[in-house]
């Protein structure tokens, strides 16, 4: 697998935005249903980055059955964002389907069929809003044409509603199911005649639609990774290299094999250094007929490790080194004006250092995956994967199989947050199933998950801000240093990539005449990955707590300060200032401009809705921050107080968000509610540290997640009405929350926060 | 290995397992009741919560040998049709995100309401403290418990 960062889709040509154009050639596909009905497949061909057609690709799949069922394919992974509901819902809305009669089936991983399935980077809705609408509208037009034909009327006189075609101004109607047969012999509509509905015509888009799987989840019937069961399946629990790069010198498995239920012990060859994003760690797997025996078996293993070059690694020592390096000149990634001259003429200089730790994803469901390698050289996988295509490719590579020999079924994901895009655990199961000649479920324990994650990098940052005699912010110098994601695949990468820097650092949006952004070297000693909002986490923390100090130094209210520093409404381009091009999360600036006016609107909105001024004037501890990420504009106000026991409590949070058209408004709200909770953990309870190359924390006792009593009590999400293109909301809630909370805590305690996680 | 007679969701079941096997794995691996989830294995997360004679317990810490003779209820047996007032309230508030923690949350909430039909916010905080939701659905869980309390 080449070195790429899948969360930024422009970093890999394969992940380029694909423009969907209906293809007449492959448009209609009729197949027999087992039940005797008929399916109408609406297939879409997609065009590559330069408009060139990609071979047959039914990217979006709608089926209608003669018994009036509408079957929609969800091709993105469901990890809690509601995407398995929201994308089919868009198709259903265009189609005029009865939502109660919609059945959703999950697509297997197949790039040729479904296009991009990498569920990451908050881009599912952004990338697929338009194609899903086109799919639904095309199917609607076909149904209308069929009904109009039947009635001898003009198609323009017909509409669809509740899975029926209606003749306007009459009581005539026909079920979709009743038209399925007629569709088989029908002429295909010219794609140019397909008309999308107006926003005002939608019934579901822009409303609160419950998630499709809710009933199954609350009754314990939903299928997650570990819930798939196959006959004769073995459960594998693996002892993995305690230090990244460690190799097994020798082992004794006699005691493990003596445990009733344990069947075999199999070695997995690890990648060494660099560990790679898609490879397993070196390990010894104990296979057993049940999980308990496999766990006991692992405890009984005796393994002698060559711990390798990372065995003396201390994260605390590295963090100190990283902080020290920011005192020197670094590699400049963005330059505007002349920071040095701003500094020499400054009347006030704020010089602050910010530290943030490694974080583990700690998805509620630890990785678990089933592989069934069969005698005919094919393998079938059931995995809670965010990226089934990557998993498919990685398994094919590891087993030396052609892609068509690998089938990847996607289960529900018990949380993803970026962890489950990496296919290392899927490859483990595939290798073990082949070696054991049996279906194998690999079950990670929580300790495995905490010890062997692809961590969010720890970071040191230094920001120097200069003010002149008129209290104008004249200079901004941001040093950022953290082991890069790219180093997991290429140990020579010592600086963060431009992609990582555009996650809230070098895309610094404020109107400051002199800006310098620099990076410094730091090597990776573990597996670095991406965690919900990625480098935005630490960048937003540093930038917006510094902004709060700047506001104070300028004698301005933090909201006023931010509005002032955005200046006139305009589109930012960063032209002529950057080393390399501006990535804009993979989108063209013409399509998704960086508009300061939209940012100012969410700031004004959150100030109004949260009653910011009233709280502030009453001396309450309120904090503010605003941060755009993944093309979504977010402003956040956090209110804190001390409870009767002197503990910090967070009674209220307000978010204002501009994410373009809000598709499923309830799921937008739930992502923000969850984002605030997630960010509370990052801010106050969670940290991963390394000693002797090994992770110190083990489980939820030492890697702590916020619990209900400490969690924010009320989270208000204000979605600004918009007709702009929709953007994602999975990650954007996290970045502004942490500095808003830190700024509120400063108001409460008088102490500035420079290091995460912090205690009050 | 030893034989154990268990009463689960009103049904008698027999399993032949290591007496130390936690009920979590007995349910999941031996009885195909996979609605109960594994999250930590050390009584820290609540994903594995079941009812033992009506009390919420962490099945990852309950050896099968200690479960004999007790009435065990899992998420699959909380109600016939998934229509326990807590489950209904969960749907009304559309609580789940990824859903993985929710069986445990619902079992904890149902046990709380059975003992305290009208819990305060603090009662809820205390009863739910052992259940982590990484997706962060806490505000909806609390609201749903209040709704369920009204509809008991
Ligand atoms: S799995 Fe039992 S409490 Fe976490
Ligand atoms: S809903 Fe995902 S952990 Fe609770």
């Amino acid at each position: 697998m080449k070195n790429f960062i899948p969360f930024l889709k422009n970093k890999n040509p394969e992940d380029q935005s694909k423009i969907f154009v209906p293809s007449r050639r492959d448009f209609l596909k009729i197949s027999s249903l087992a039940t005797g009905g008929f399916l109408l497949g609406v297939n879409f061909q997609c065009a590559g980055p330069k408009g060139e057609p990609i071979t047959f690709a039914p990217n979006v799949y709608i089926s209608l059955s003669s018994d009036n069922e509408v079957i929609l394919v969800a091709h993105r992974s469901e990890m809690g964002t509601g995407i398995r509901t929201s994308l089919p819902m868009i198709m259903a809305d265009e189609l005029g389907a009865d939502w109660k009669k919609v059945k959703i089936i999950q697509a297997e991983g197949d790039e040729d069929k479904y296009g991009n399935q990498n569920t990451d980077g908050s881009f599912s809705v952004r990338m697929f809003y338009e194609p899903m609408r086109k799919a639904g509208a095309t199917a609607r037009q076909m149904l209308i044409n069929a009904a109009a034909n039947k009635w001898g009327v003009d198609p323009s006189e017909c509409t669809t509603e509740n899975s029926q075609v209606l003749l306007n101004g009459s009581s005539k109607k026909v079920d979709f199911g009743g038209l399925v047969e007629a569709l088989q012999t029908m002429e295909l509509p010219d794609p140019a005649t397909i008309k999308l509905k107006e926003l005002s015509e939608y019934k579901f888009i822009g409303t609160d639609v419950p998630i499709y799987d809710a009933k199954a989840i609350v009754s314990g019937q939903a299928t997650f990774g570990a819930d798939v069961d196959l006959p004769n399946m073995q459960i594998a629990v693996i002892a993995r290299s305690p230090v990244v790069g460690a190799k097994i010198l020798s082992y004794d498995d006699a005691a493990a094999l003596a445990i009733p239920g344990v069947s075999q012990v199999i070695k997995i060859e690890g990648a060494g250094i660099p560990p790679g994003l898609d490879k397993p760690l070196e390990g010894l797997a104990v296979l057993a007929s049940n999980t308990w025996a496999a766990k006991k078996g692992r405890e009984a293993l005796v393994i002698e490790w060559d711990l390798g070059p990372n065995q003396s690694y201390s994260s605390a020592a590295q963090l100190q080194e990283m902080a020290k390096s920011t005192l020197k000149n670094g590699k400049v990634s963005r330059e505007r004006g002349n920071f040095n001259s701003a500094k020499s003429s400054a009347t006030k200089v704020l010089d602050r250092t910010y530290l943030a730790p490694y974080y583990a994803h700690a998805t509620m469901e630890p990785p678990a995956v089933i592989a069934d390698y069969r005698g005919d050289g094919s393998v079938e996988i059931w995995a809670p994967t965010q990226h089934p295509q990557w998993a498919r490719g990685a398994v094919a590579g590891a087993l030396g199989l052609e892609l068509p020999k690998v089938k990847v079924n996607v289960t529900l994901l018990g949380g993803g947050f970026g962890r489950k895009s990496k296919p290392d655990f899927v490859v483990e199961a595939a290798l073990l199933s082949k070696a054991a000649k049996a279906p194998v479920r690999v079950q990670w324990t929580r300790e495995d998950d905490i010890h062997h994650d692809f961590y969010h990098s720890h970071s040191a940052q230094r920001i120097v801000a200069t003010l002149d005699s008129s209290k104008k912010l004249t200079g901004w110098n941001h040093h950022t240093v953290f082991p890069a994601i790219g180093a997991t695949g290429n140990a020579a990468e010592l600086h963060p990539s431009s992609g990582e820097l555009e996650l809230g650092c070098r895309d610094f949006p404020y109107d400051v005449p002199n800006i310098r952004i620099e990076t410094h070297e730091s090597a990776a000693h573990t597996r670095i990955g991406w965690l919900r909002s990625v480098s935005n986490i630490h960048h937003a923390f540093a930038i917006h707590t510094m902004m709060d100090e700047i506001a104070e130094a300028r004698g301005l209210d933090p909201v006023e300060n931010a509005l002032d520093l955005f200046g006139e409404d305009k589109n930012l381009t960063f032209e002529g200032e950057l080393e390399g091009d501006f990535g804009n999360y993979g989108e063209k600036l013409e399509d998704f401009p960086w508009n300061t006016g939209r940012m100012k609107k969410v700031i004004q909105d959150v100030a109004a809705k949260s009653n910011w001024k009233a709280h502030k004037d009453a001396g309450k501890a309120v904090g503010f921050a605003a941060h755009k990420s993944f093309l979504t504009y977010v402003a956040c106000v956090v209110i804190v107080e001390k409870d009767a026991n002197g503990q910090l409590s967070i009674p209220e949070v307000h978010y204002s968000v501009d994410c373009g058209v809000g598709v499923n408004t309830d799921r937008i709200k739930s992502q923000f509610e969850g984002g605030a909770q997630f960010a509370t953990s990052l801010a106050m309870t969670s940290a991963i540290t390394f000693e002797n190359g090994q992770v110190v924390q083990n489980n939820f006792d030492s890697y702590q997640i916020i619990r209900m009593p400490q969690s924010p009590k009320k989270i208000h999400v204000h979605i600004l009405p918009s007709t702009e293109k929709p953007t994602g909301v999975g990650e954007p809630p996290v970045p502004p929350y942490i500095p808003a909370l830190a700024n509120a805590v400063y108001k409460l305690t008088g102490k500035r926060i420079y290091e995460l996680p912090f205690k009050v | 290995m030893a034989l154990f007679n268990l009463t689960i969701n009103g049904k008698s079941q027999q399993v032949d397992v290591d007496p130390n096997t936690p009920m979590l794995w007995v349910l999941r691996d031996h009885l195909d009741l996979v609605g109960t989830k594994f999250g930590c294995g050390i009584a820290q997360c609540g994903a594995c919560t079941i009812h033992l004679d009506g009390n919420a317990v962490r099945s990852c810490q309950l050896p099968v040998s200690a479960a004999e003779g007790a009435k065990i209820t899992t998420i699959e047996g909380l109600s016939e049709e998934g229509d326990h007032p807590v489950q209904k309230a969960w749907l009304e508030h559309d609580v789940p995100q990824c859903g993985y923690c929710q069986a445990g949350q619902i079992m904890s909430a149902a046990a709380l309401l059975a003992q305290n039909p009208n819990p305060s916010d603090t009662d809820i905080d205390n009863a739910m403290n052992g259940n982590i939701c990484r997706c962060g659905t806490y505000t909806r869980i609390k609201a749903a418990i209040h709704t369920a309390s009204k509809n008991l």
Side-chain angles (χ1 to χ4, degrees):
Chain A
M1 181 65 54
K2 54 191 147 323
N3 182 30
F4 72 97
I5 301 178
F7 65 87
L8 291 176
K9 67 188 172 66
N10 67 326
K11 295 301 166 199
N12 175 19
E14 288 162 25
D15 285 346
Q16 282 278 358
S17 179
K18 285 167 180 161
I19 303 137
F20 291 77
V21 283
S23 135
R24 292 179 70 84
R25 184 159 54 90
D26 293 318
F27 201 70
L28 192 68
K29 196 175 156 214
I30 309 288
S31 60
S32 230
L33 258 186
T35 57
F38 286 94
L39 289 175
L40 161 70
V42 179
N43 299 330
F44 280 75
Q45 198 178 42
C46 64
K50 295 186 201 86
E52 76 282 8
I54 288 173
T55 48
F56 173 60
N59 289 73
V60 181
Y61 214 88
I62 297 178
S63 307
L64 306 174
S65 73
S66 50
D67 57 5
N68 217 26
E69 197 170 40
V70 173
I71 301 160
L72 304 174
V73 168
H75 72 300
R76 314 282 290 176
S77 299
E78 181 55 83
M79 52 184 156
T81 63
I83 203 64
R84 202 170 117 82
T85 303
S86 300
L87 289 183
M89 182 193 112
I90 297 168
M91 284 193 275
D93 212 350
E94 273 291 351
L95 188 58
D98 179 349
W99 185 243
K100 289 194 286 300
K101 297 201 180 93
V102 167
K103 186 173 159 203
I104 297 175
I105 51 176
Q106 189 69 33
E108 62 184 271
D110 192 329
E111 171 106 35
D112 289 346
K113 260 181 168 164
Y114 302 108
N116 184 307
Q117 290 177 274
N118 172 19
T119 315
D120 220 323
S122 299
F123 56 68
S124 292
V125 164
R126 188 205 324 158
M127 199 191 270
F128 291 101
Y129 179 61
E130 196 78 12
M132 293 293 148
R133 291 167 75 204
K134 280 189 186 153
T138 307
R140 162 168 47 85
Q141 193 57 51
M142 297 177 76
L143 286 158
I144 283 179
N145 291 353
N149 216 354
K150 183 173 164 147
W151 294 329
V153 299
D154 193 84
S156 64
E157 293 175 56
C158 304
T159 47
T160 58
E161 202 179 285
N162 284 324
S163 292
Q164 292 183 317
V165 182
L166 315 177
L167 180 59
N168 299 340
S170 86
S171 58
K172 263 201 171 138
K173 52 183 149 186
V174 55
D175 285 347
F176 285 177
L179 295 166
V180 165
E181 221 178 303
L183 288 173
Q184 293 175 64
T185 51
M186 240 189 65
E187 266 297 290
L188 304 173
D190 181 347
T193 67
I194 302 299
K195 208 174 146 285
L196 301 180
K197 288 181 179 173
E198 297 293 325
L199 263 183
S200 59
E201 293 176 82
Y202 288 122
K203 285 221 163 74
F204 312 137
I205 294 173
T207 69
D208 294 346
V209 176
I211 58 169
Y212 180 74
D213 300 295
K215 178 89 193 189
I217 288 170
V218 303
S219 48
Q221 304 298 327
T223 301
F224 294 88
D227 300 340
V228 175
D229 194 17
L230 299 180
N232 303 319
M233 187 176 72
Q234 294 289 297
I235 317 284
V237 173
I238 305 174
R240 295 177 187 79
S241 49
V243 174
V244 165
K247 291 278 182 188
I248 295 173
L249 289 174
S250 65
Y251 64 87
D252 179 353
D253 58 5
L257 288 167
I259 289 171
V262 171
S263 57
Q264 27 184 337
V265 170
I266 298 170
K267 186 181 160 184
I268 293 179
E269 200 88 36
I273 296 174
L277 288 165
D278 58 349
K279 296 190 176 58
L281 292 167
E282 179 111 340
L284 204 53
V286 177
L287 277 64
S289 59
N290 66 82
T291 315
W292 185 243
K295 278 182 68 168
K296 290 275 144 207
R298 179 172 70 174
E299 284 165 23
L301 289 173
V302 181
I303 306 174
E304 195 193 342
W305 294 95
D306 168 6
L307 292 173
N310 285 324
Q311 61 184 298
S312 56
Y313 174 61
S314 149
S315 54
Q318 186 187 31
L319 197 55
Q320 289 314 312
E321 285 304 310
M322 284 158 53
K324 238 191 266 163
S325 74
T326 63
L327 298 170
K328 302 195 202 101
N329 289 335
K331 186 169 130 194
V332 177
S333 173
R334 178 178 172 193
E335 185 105 65
R336 173 196 284 175
N338 186 331
F339 174 76
N340 285 349
S341 63
K343 193 174 170 190
S344 48
S345 59
T347 53
K348 189 170 177 73
V349 176
L350 297 169
D351 186 340
R352 305 284 183 254
T353 300
Y354 301 87
L355 304 176
Y358 286 107
Y359 294 115
H361 300 76
T363 56
M364 208 64 219
E365 168 198 51
V369 52
I370 287 85
D372 185 11
Y373 183 88
R374 297 175 185 134
D376 63 354
S378 69
V379 61
E380 185 162 1
I381 307 280
W382 289 262
T385 168
Q386 287 176 242
H387 200 338
Q389 293 161 0
W390 195 9
R392 192 182 187 209
V395 167
L399 266 51
L401 299 175
E402 299 288 319
L403 216 47
K405 290 283 191 190
V406 183
K407 182 174 157 92
V408 178
N409 305 291
V410 182
T411 65
L412 289 180
L413 283 65
F417 313 123
R419 167 62 183 97
K420 289 174 186 162
S421 48
K422 266 65 100 215
D424 59 317
F425 63 106
V426 185
V427 174
E428 287 177 343
L431 291 170
L432 291 175
S433 176
K434 186 178 178 186
K437 299 192 174 59
V440 170
R441 176 197 295 151
V442 169
Q443 176 67 57
W444 285 49
T445 64
R446 179 59 58 197
E447 290 80 5
D448 298 341
D449 178 54
I450 300 295
H451 291 165
H452 307 296
D453 197 0
F454 293 82
Y455 303 93
H456 174 89
S457 227
H458 67 169
S459 60
Q461 300 170 79
R462 176 170 166 242
I463 298 177
V464 187
T466 62
L467 303 182
D468 68 9
S469 53
S470 60
K471 295 199 168 163
K472 193 170 154 337
L473 178 61
T474 53
W476 178 268
N477 178 206
H478 188 166
H479 300 254
T480 183
V481 46
F482 53 97
I485 293 167
T488 304
N490 173 13
E493 290 202 18
L494 296 173
H495 286 268
S497 67
S498 62
E500 286 162 303
L501 294 175
E502 271 166 33
L503 300 170
C505 177
R506 74 171 194 168
D507 51 346
F508 180 75
Y510 295 103
D511 211 348
V512 183
N514 304 289
I515 296 175
R516 189 195 294 149
I517 312 286
E518 1 185 354
T519 62
H520 303 265
E521 287 187 357
S522 62
H525 298 273
T526 182
R527 304 197 293 184
I528 311 288
W530 46 96
L531 169 77
R532 193 177 192 177
S533 85
V534 204
S535 335
N536 280 297
I537 295 170
H538 47 267
H539 289 147
F541 160 59
I543 291 171
H544 304 297
T545 48
M546 176 56 113
M547 275 297 147
D548 207 64
E549 282 200 59
I550 289 169
E552 196 172 55
R554 298 180 72 199
L556 287 178
D557 170 273
V559 167
E560 295 302 318
N561 179 55
L563 291 172
D564 176 62
L565 287 172
F566 275 116
E568 298 280 288
D569 292 2
K570 59 185 166 302
N571 287 337
L572 304 177
T573 64
F574 309 95
E575 221 178 306
E577 299 177 12
L578 300 180
E579 164 84 45
D581 294 332
F582 182 59
N584 203 37
Y585 291 91
E587 299 287 356
K588 292 198 191 94
L589 274 172
E590 303 95 89
D591 296 335
F592 290 89
W594 208 130
N595 185 272
T596 59
R598 288 176 73 181
M599 194 73 207
K600 282 158 65 185
K601 281 219 178 74
V602 293
I603 293 174
Q604 283 154 342
D605 192 69
V606 85
K609 302 267 171 63
S610 68
N611 240 331
W612 164 259
K613 269 207 92 36
H615 284 302
K616 230 190 95 233
D617 293 346
K620 284 211 194 154
V622 282
F624 157 84
H627 189 83
K628 182 189 178 196
S629 67
F630 301 89
L631 308 176
T632 295
Y633 301 84
V634 184
C636 179
V637 166
V638 178
I639 303 174
V640 299
E641 62 192 21
K642 282 214 171 132
D643 69 14
N645 310 318
Q647 294 286 310
L648 183 82
S649 88
I650 307 170
E652 231 176 298
V653 175
H654 287 264
Y655 277 116
S656 287
V657 48
D658 175 354
C659 57
V661 171
V663 173
N664 186 350
T665 42
D666 182 66
R667 287 302 98 180
I668 295 171
K669 288 176 212 152
S670 69
Q671 282 305 292
F672 276 83
E673 290 159 10
Q677 308 286 7
F678 195 90
T680 307
S681 295
L682 302 181
M684 299 190 58
T685 64
S686 308
I688 291 288
T689 52
F690 290 79
E691 277 169 26
N692 301 318
Q694 310 192 15
V695 171
V696 173
Q697 295 71 24
N698 297 310
N699 202 317
F700 289 131
D701 51 352
S702 38
Y703 186 74
Q704 295 193 1
I705 304 301
I706 202 82
R707 293 167 184 274
M708 187 187 276
Q710 298 81 38
S711 68
K713 300 283 171 280
K714 282 200 189 113
I715 302 162
H716 309 273
V717 184
H718 315 290
I719 305 169
L720 270 69
S722 172
T723 54
E724 300 284 344
K725 295 187 190 74
T727 52
V729 295
E731 296 167 273
V734 174
Y737 178 87
I738 298 172
L741 173 63
N743 293 336
V745 167
Y746 165 69
K747 283 278 167 334
L748 187 72
T749 64
K751 274 210 282 284
R752 287 281 174 199
I753 286 161
Y754 298 109
E755 183 165 3
L756 300 179
F758 60 84
K759 294 257 174 291
V760 179
Chain B
M1 296 289 148
L3 280 181
F4 295 94
N5 293 305
L6 303 167
T7 311
I8 301 170
N9 300 333
K11 234 172 83 187
S12 300
Q13 307 255 27
Q14 203 175 53
V15 290
D16 183 11
V17 296
D18 170 1
N20 292 323
T21 310
M23 268 311 294
L24 168 65
W25 299 114
V26 172
L27 294 169
R28 292 190 55 84
D29 287 353
H30 301 275
L31 298 170
D32 200 25
L33 288 166
V34 295
T36 305
K37 300 300 186 212
F38 166 64
C40 70
I42 59 163
Q44 283 286 320
C45 78
C48 66
T49 306
I50 59 171
H51 293 174
L52 189 74
D53 290 330
N55 294 312
V57 298
R58 313 297 178 215
S59 66
C60 68
Q61 291 299 300
L62 177 72
V64 60
S65 53
E68 251 192 336
K71 256 179 57 199
I72 292 167
T73 308
T74 69
I75 184 72
E76 291 92 343
L78 184 63
S79 63
E80 289 271 298
E81 306 281 334
D83 55 358
H84 185 282
V86 171
Q87 289 167 312
K88 287 208 318 230
W90 246 244
L91 293 176
E92 191 182 322
H93 291 267
D94 212 10
V95 172
Q97 288 188 30
C98 81
Y100 193 80
C101 73
Q102 298 295 344
Q105 306 276 5
I106 288 169
M107 295 308 280
S108 290
L112 162 69
L113 290 172
Q115 273 142 32
N116 177 358
N118 215 339
S120 66
D121 277 352
T122 313
D123 296 338
I124 296 174
D125 275 351
N126 292 337
M128 303 303 288
N129 189 32
N131 288 80
I132 293 175
C133 176
R134 181 60 159 156
C135 297
T137 61
Y138 297 129
T139 54
R140 293 197 194 209
I141 288 173
K142 193 175 277 180
I145 292 175
H146 283 304
T147 298
S149 142
K150 287 187 205 107
N151 299 330
L152 280 180

